[in-house]
Amino acid sequence: MAGVESDGHLSKGTKYGKDEIIAFNVKRHGVFGEAFFDPAIMKTLRTLVHGKRVIDIGCGVGDWCYLVAQYGSKLVVGIDIQEEMVELAKGNTSQLDTVHIQIGDAANVPYPNASFDVALSLLVTCNLSPESYAEHFNELYRILSPGGKAIILVPADSAIGKLFTKMEAEPEIVKSEIKQAVSRVPKCPTTVQVTEAFQHINGIVLASFALDNGKLFHVEQTKELTDGQPFWRRSEVMMFPNFFYSNQSTVDLIHNAGLVIDEIENCFTEDKRIAYNNTNPAIPLSQDYVEHATALIYHISKPGH
């Protein structure tokens, strides 16, 4: 299925509007991060970054930079290609002397070889265009010191075609509302038009949409997308313009870059779902969140001492 470039899908990668950046600054990745991958990544970072030089590539609003500094890193650098994100990140970390935030490209990191001991790439690859995707992994290898570690969080194939709905919502009704909304979207839509089409549907927690010959459709199976294809993911937070890359392509590029995969962690576990539900009884998560993990954590090493 062929996609076309939109105002949110650019040659350098995705671009978020002002409203989306504000929403992300407040809610980040919503329930998926809060319940599942944030706790898993925090657990790893607590013991990994102390006394280390750390870079967060695609740092967004600087939340992980702030946390890494609190865990005792020697130096924390955050780079992002969007100026608005960088300004928010600077404000969010302004009280921390060890944190430095700047404009930077994930496919052309503005630092010399072996500058860092730890690199973070958290839901960055899905924002990279095909021109930047492979080069990002080469850059991770280049900037890491021998023996350095990288934590890479990527969308999981298993959830791309899955419609997640709020517990109180009837899935079939939400699907019907989505079908009606899709039919009203003009051919070759802008990200604003796609966003506006689904604003009235309150039951969506996560759904994916793409273009077939310029016409929007609701993605219901991973096989409907091809590597590098632009698409959108509507979450409870915002509409994300993304690029699709299969998990196998991620594995291949990690290996091609000379990096080693130590572990692929599925953090969408039953114990985390139960823990979240115990503290948020008014908005419980269904079994779908465990059966269809939305993200995977790749624990990566650069060979060396």
Side-chain angles (χ1 to χ4, degrees):
M1 299 242 179
V4 297
E5 183 173 282
S6 76
D7 57 325
H9 301 99
L10 307 176
S11 60
K12 279 286 189 180
T14 57
K15 179 176 175 60
Y16 299 128
K18 181 179 180 181
D19 291 344
E20 286 75 22
I21 290 172
I22 292 172
F24 183 75
N25 189 38
V26 175
K27 296 185 177 180
R28 299 175 55 237
H29 293 104
V31 65
F32 299 101
E34 183 180 352
F36 297 104
F37 52 75
D38 284 1
I41 294 170
M42 289 176 185
K43 181 179 179 181
T44 296
L45 293 180
R46 283 190 190 100
T47 56
L48 180 63
V49 302
H50 186 80
K52 302 291 180 58
R53 303 166 298 166
V54 182
I55 183 168
D56 183 4
I57 301 173
C59 67
V61 297
D63 46 326
W64 287 108
C65 291
Y66 185 94
L67 189 66
V68 166
Q70 295 297 310
Y71 288 162
S73 296
K74 178 181 180 181
L75 169 70
V76 185
V77 170
I79 66 170
D80 201 284
I81 202 164
Q82 284 202 233
E83 185 176 348
E84 299 90 341
M85 287 284 197
V86 167
E87 290 307 309
L88 280 172
K90 286 181 177 179
N92 291 338
T93 60
S94 61
Q95 303 302 313
L96 301 171
D97 293 338
T98 56
V99 177
H100 303 276
I101 307 292
Q102 67 182 84
I103 292 283
D105 187 345
N108 187 18
V109 179
Y111 281 86
N113 297 354
S115 291
F116 299 98
D117 309 302
V118 178
L120 306 181
S121 172
L122 306 179
L123 292 179
V124 171
T125 58
C126 55
N127 290 301
L128 298 178
S129 67
E131 292 82 357
S132 299
Y133 177 53
E135 199 55 41
H136 175 57
F137 295 97
N138 294 331
E139 283 293 88
L140 286 172
Y141 180 92
R142 183 184 67 79
I143 63 172
L144 281 173
S145 59
K149 303 290 185 179
I151 305 297
I152 305 174
L153 180 69
V154 303
D157 290 353
S158 61
I160 293 297
K162 172 66 179 174
L163 170 63
F164 289 86
T165 60
K166 295 179 180 178
M167 284 290 284
E168 67 273 15
E170 190 66 42
E172 291 306 314
I173 293 177
V174 175
K175 284 184 180 180
S176 177
E177 292 176 330
I178 287 174
K179 185 176 180 180
Q180 293 176 34
V182 166
S183 70
R184 295 192 294 267
V185 176
K187 197 169 184 179
C188 300
T190 65
T191 292
V192 171
Q193 289 172 322
V194 175
T195 301
E196 291 177 345
F198 300 96
Q199 281 182 337
H200 68 286
I201 305 179
N202 295 318
I204 298 176
V205 176
L206 190 66
S208 300
F209 305 92
L211 299 178
D212 181 12
N213 294 319
K215 182 62 178 174
L216 192 75
F217 70 96
H218 176 208
V219 178
E220 298 186 73
Q221 299 182 71
T222 307
K223 66 181 181 181
E224 294 177 299
L225 299 177
T226 58
D227 279 331
Q229 181 173 349
F231 76 116
W232 290 268
R233 302 192 86 181
R234 158 72 191 274
S235 76
E236 59 181 330
V237 178
M238 57 183 276
M239 184 71 78
F240 291 91
N242 277 173
F243 291 89
F244 171 76
Y245 299 106
S246 67
N247 295 146
Q248 186 58 55
S249 72
T250 298
V251 169
D252 291 343
L253 286 177
I254 289 171
H255 289 152
N256 291 345
L259 297 163
V260 175
I261 299 175
D262 300 321
E263 179 188 0
I264 301 176
E265 179 182 359
N266 178 2
C267 56
F268 285 72
T269 57
E270 182 65 7
D271 62 319
K272 287 188 176 66
R273 185 181 78 89
I274 293 172
Y276 181 86
N277 287 350
N278 287 339
T279 55
N280 298 272
I283 47 172
L285 304 180
S286 71
Q287 192 68 31
D288 282 348
Y289 288 79
V290 176
E291 295 175 356
H292 300 273
T294 63
L296 297 173
I297 304 172
Y298 290 77
H299 299 260
I300 309 300
S301 296
K302 178 177 178 177
H305 57 77

